[in-house]
Amino acid sequence: MGGRRPREALIAGTLEPRDDAKRIRASLISPLRPRDPAEAHRVSTQLELLFDLVSVIAISAVTSGLRGAVIHGHGVEALPAFAFLFAGIWWAWMNFTWFASAFDNNEPSYWLLVMVIMSGELVFAGGVGHIFSTLDASWGIVGWSIMRVGMAALWLRAAGNPEFRRTCLRYAGGVLMAQAGWIAFFFVLAWRGPAVFFPAAGACFVLEFTVPLFAERARSTPFHRHHIIERYGLLTIISLGEVMLAVSLGFGALFGRSPRPGALVTTVSGLVILFALFFLYFCEREHLPSRKPGIGLVWSYGHIFIFGAIAALGAAIGATVALAGNAAAGATSSLSLWLGVPLAIFLAALWIARDRHFALGSRGPALPATAAVAIGAALLGAPAWVFAVTAVVGVWWRVPFFAPNRP
């Protein structure tokens, strides 16, 4: 073939189609080579962005369910379902994100396995509303099973690399073991009913969360730190989209009628909170300050509270806008808790995951202090504009407006 590549030879007519088919089959089982963790200009791929779209759908569905529950006065009862579903969405996204940072080779056979995972997540995402209202997770378990088969297959392909074989085999075995737990969860529900739903789901998540802790002890996967920072930033923006949607609905309610002052103030307050959260999260470029396992673990797992708090805040702002001008005193006090507590969780989680690792001087206490003020305002039943002012003060204190963003 004169040194020509097999595909070029096939086009030229010097390679039999069956030989090309063998090459394609071989690529499906060939090992996924590790990426260089110091690779320059590493950005999210189009496939990763397509995967994020599935997370958009799922997060929107679970946030909508919580918003409706808050509006109808039973948000506390719906909170466990929200936490369960959001944890599942985040975990599916995180599993793929960290794998792709270490082993994504951007070839069609890799795309096919990722699309299998996406198909399973779409089955799960499509049932989020149903699971939220009924706790019937039967089809959700089917979707989850499809996801985990695809994920285990990716880890087995990566296990072809001798230097990471033990780590990848631990991941593949752990993923399949955790999936066996979810299948057992399905049969336990059929036997004992919804009363054991959350304890059994919690046990399954504990098993899921320990898989990386066990696997990474063999050898750390070669993730790309700045790529991971970008990926988490993108999911933060997706979560902020729920706040933006609530604000948009608030402004939309002003069309075609005389605007209610309460609704307008609440909507503008939500807009201010949205921009404040963006400032606070993205004011540091080096969001993950180190590759040390302990720091990375807290940063990675701590983000479930950051993402979940943003989504819950979007639900709270949407409910507050919907009820503005129509809420009784007791309902207003409840809405204050829904606004203040997620805001405080976001601030506290961001300080634990990121800020405590930086020498920030006088800006260091900004996030925990603002979180304490948000909790106090929530307990006092403050209106939405108070939380907007609190968030602005936190931004003014924490963000270095007149200094360059750290390289």
Side-chain angles (χ1 to χ4, degrees):
M1 290 186 290
R4 281 181 295 191
R5 294 166 55 200
R7 182 175 296 181
E8 294 168 347
L10 177 64
I11 294 172
T14 59
L15 183 67
E16 292 294 328
R18 60 176 176 273
D19 295 328
D20 193 61
K22 290 178 181 177
R23 185 183 63 82
I24 294 173
R25 285 195 298 271
S27 72
L28 290 172
I29 59 175
S30 62
L32 293 173
R33 299 298 178 189
R35 297 285 290 259
D36 179 5
E39 179 182 341
H41 308 296
R42 180 74 189 278
V43 297
S44 298
T45 66
Q46 290 86 348
L47 186 63
E48 288 176 309
L49 298 177
L50 184 64
F51 193 98
D52 287 351
L53 285 179
V54 185
S55 301
V56 171
I57 295 169
I59 291 174
S60 180
V62 71
T63 304
S64 175
L66 182 61
R67 180 174 62 246
V70 173
I71 289 174
H72 293 98
H74 49 85
V76 174
E77 294 89 338
L79 199 55
F82 171 82
F84 163 76
L85 289 165
F86 197 92
I89 296 163
W90 164 76
W91 189 245
W93 176 88
M94 197 178 89
N95 271 225
F96 167 70
T97 293
W98 284 84
F99 179 91
S101 185
F103 296 104
D104 178 3
N105 66 0
N106 201 32
E107 69 178 20
S109 61
Y110 170 80
W111 294 355
L112 288 173
L113 284 175
V114 174
M115 288 174 182
V116 169
I117 299 171
M118 290 172 58
S119 300
E121 190 177 4
L122 277 170
V123 174
F124 180 78
V128 161
H130 178 75
I131 298 171
F132 193 97
S133 58
T134 66
L135 297 185
D136 173 17
S138 53
W139 278 102
I141 299 297
V142 172
W144 200 263
S145 300
I146 297 170
M147 278 192 288
R148 305 333 291 277
V149 168
M151 199 72 243
L154 286 178
W155 282 115
L156 288 173
R157 283 194 61 187
N161 300 284
E163 64 271 35
F164 295 104
R165 178 170 289 123
R166 285 186 65 197
T167 300
C168 294
L169 289 176
R170 285 186 177 193
Y171 267 113
V175 164
L176 294 175
M177 185 180 297
Q179 182 55 39
W182 286 110
I183 293 173
F185 166 80
F186 171 80
F187 287 107
V188 167
L189 284 183
W191 174 41
R192 299 297 299 273
V196 298
F197 187 99
F198 294 113
C204 289
F205 274 127
V206 168
L207 180 58
E208 290 272 12
F209 297 163
T210 57
V211 170
L213 306 181
F214 170 69
E216 294 286 331
R217 293 184 66 180
R219 180 173 182 174
S220 296
T221 50
F223 70 89
H224 192 289
R225 187 167 64 91
H226 289 98
H227 177 245
I228 287 291
I229 291 172
E230 183 195 19
R231 297 293 296 131
Y232 273 67
L234 289 172
L235 194 62
T236 299
I237 291 175
I238 288 171
S239 301
L240 286 171
E242 297 305 313
V243 182
M244 188 173 290
L245 176 61
V247 171
S248 175
L249 293 174
F251 282 126
L254 304 177
F255 284 77
R257 69 172 80 175
S258 298
R260 291 175 294 166
L264 181 59
V265 170
T266 299
T267 301
V268 173
S269 299
L271 183 64
V272 172
I273 292 171
L274 165 68
F275 293 149
L277 298 184
F278 184 89
F279 262 112
L280 290 169
Y281 186 87
F282 290 102
C283 66
E284 297 287 345
R285 290 184 185 177
E286 292 297 314
H287 215 280
L288 175 58
S290 170
R291 288 182 58 90
K292 293 180 180 178
I295 293 176
L297 178 69
V298 173
W299 185 85
S300 177
Y301 280 54
H303 265 73
I304 188 175
F305 299 101
I306 294 173
F307 299 144
I310 294 173
L313 197 54
I317 291 172
T320 306
V321 167
L323 296 173
N326 298 325
T332 302
S333 177
S334 174
L335 290 172
S336 295
L337 288 170
W338 281 104
L339 290 167
V341 173
L343 179 60
I345 291 174
F346 168 84
L347 295 166
L350 187 57
W351 182 83
I352 292 171
R354 184 194 68 190
D355 277 15
R356 67 191 178 95
H357 300 296
F358 292 112
L360 297 172
S362 61
R363 292 185 285 118
L367 296 187
T370 307
V373 173
I375 288 292
L379 294 174
L380 292 173
W385 66 265
V386 172
F387 298 102
V389 171
T390 300
V392 169
V393 171
V395 169
W396 173 80
W397 186 355
R398 172 61 182 84
V399 179
F401 281 100
F402 302 106
N405 219 339
R406 293 182 201 228

